[in-house]
Amino acid sequence: MTDHETGCLPAHDGVRLRSATAGDAEAVTRVFLDSRAAAMPYLPRIHSDEGTLAWITHVVLPTSTAVWVAEQAGQDGEDEGDGEGGELLGFAALAGGDELDHLYLRPDALRRGIGSRLLAEVRGAVDGPISLYVFQRNAAARAFYERHGFTAVAFDDGGRNEENEPDVLYRWTPQGVSGGP
């Protein structure tokens, strides 16, 4: 099969992107938990690791519009032939057709272009504007999205999320497309 048929993208700098599978649930959960703990230590731990795994397994992976994972490629950047490569480095999930619901990287995978590649995959899957929420205190994520052309369009007091943490609605609109309300 070609990379296109398997949902895999060629490896770049030893990292490849592919569509997530149900078998990725544990690794996606670990990335989610580790990333949040490192980048946002101020967030309350609302769910146990087991509860988070259940949510990733039964909600995020099966009900998102699309989920991509970034993983360490096999030797020489090649696919290892079994549809899965090395360690999972990050993931992105698109919900509702135009909302980037999650983009998380392992703390040791930051500043390697992996988040930018995952974001490019999301942009390629959406015909029009993309929205996302970021916690107001997450300065690194806010700077990342602003570098990638997202604009803050609304600020919330935290009442819309279970952490009760103030957040920001960001929107990106491709050139030549109306951004809507």
Side-chain angles (χ1 to χ4, degrees), residues 28-173:
V28 166
T29 301
R30 182 76 326 197
V31 167
F32 178 85
L33 291 169
D34 291 350
S35 177
R36 287 172 66 101
M40 300 172 285
Y42 49 84
L43 286 180
R45 281 293 306 263
I46 297 173
H47 303 285
S48 66
D49 290 3
E50 295 78 17
T52 302
L53 173 60
W55 170 68
I56 295 285
T57 301
H58 301 293
V59 178
V60 175
L61 291 177
T63 66
S64 295
T65 304
V67 181
W68 297 269
V69 295
E71 64 187 1
Q72 200 67 50
Q75 296 233 344
D76 301 322
E78 293 297 319
D79 175 341
E80 295 182 352
D82 60 4
E84 296 189 14
E87 293 183 58
L88 200 86
L89 302 172
F91 74 99
L94 179 65
D98 66 354
E99 182 177 346
L100 176 55
D101 206 18
H102 306 286
L103 197 163
Y104 288 94
L105 298 177
R106 277 187 0 198
D108 64 342
L110 298 174
R111 303 226 174 257
R112 293 175 44 193
I114 299 166
S116 296
R117 288 182 61 204
L118 285 164
L119 182 57
E121 282 305 297
V122 172
R123 285 178 167 170
V126 176
D127 292 330
I130 298 171
S131 297
L132 60 90
Y133 285 93
V134 176
F135 294 119
Q136 289 181 25
R137 288 199 278 175
N138 191 346
R142 292 182 64 186
F144 171 80
Y145 291 118
E146 289 170 8
R147 275 194 314 273
H148 286 280
F150 283 79
T151 303
V153 295
F155 290 80
D156 192 281
D157 65 1
R160 60 162 295 284
N161 63 65
E162 67 184 351
E163 295 87 356
N164 292 312
E165 179 71 24
D167 56 16
V168 184
L169 173 63
Y170 276 88
R171 184 165 294 125
W172 172 80
T173 303

